[in-house]
Amino acid sequence: MNTEKNILIIEDEKGIRNFINNALTANGYRTTLAENSKTGRSLFLSACPDLVLLDLGLPDGDGMDLLKEFREWSGTTPILIVSARDKEAEKVAALDFGADDYITKPFGMSELMARVRTALRHLDHSENSAAADTIIQVKDLTIDIAKHTVTRSGEEIHFTQNEFKCLALLGKYAGKVLTYDFIMKNIWGPYSPSDNQILRVNMANIRRKLKENPADPKYILTELGIGYRMLVDN
Ligand code: CA
């Protein structure tokens, strides 16, 4: 099933580029490699990749500019940012400019594959979204959008309206990080308060009701300085 998918890797560090390339080809993906912006730009247009892995620090230009160009040319091709640690503002900016997710260096093969699978799944999902959106299954949680219920192993857990909306939004994009700003605007609208206090309170309540262990969350991970991610793979 993976064999049809072509992934464009734009990364100037040879070691990382080779590592990503080996990991993807070992898992049955086809790859196209670029070591700078110029080659990345032309391969994006000529190779029509199904997904792009984009390093932001490139020798001949800012990866962020490339991201903006790619988004103008294609609104749907998933783009994963390959980013250094301690660059939270950069990650948030990239997500706001339409990146689908990011992966932080150094990363292992299983984390890379999980991010790639998630991004490709959301692409498939958005192509036939109408039917799939009514019931969301994440691990042992069933989120029923129409009935407004959440059950775990058949047992209902009660949430307030806003808690339910937060949980359903995270579930809809399970595996993908959602920024504070994205969640706030989705739930509380375009004029939502600029601080995230109301969101943090709702998330704390959701976690308490799910009986999450903060040290080892099973369902919802806090991405410090960025947002929240619903966990799917572990
Ligand atoms: Ca780099």
Side-chain angles (χ1 to χ4, degrees), residues 11-13 55-58 105:
E11 166 67 76
D12 61 314
E13 283 175 67
D55 177 30
L56 291 182
L58 294 165
K105 298 177 195 176

Side-chain angles (χ1 to χ4, degrees), residues 81-101:
I81 299 301
V82 180
S83 174
R85 220 166 263 294
D86 303 328
K87 298 256 181 161
E88 272 64 34
E90 184 181 87
K91 292 172 189 170
V92 171
L95 293 165
D96 286 342
F97 282 125
D100 291 78
D101 209 337

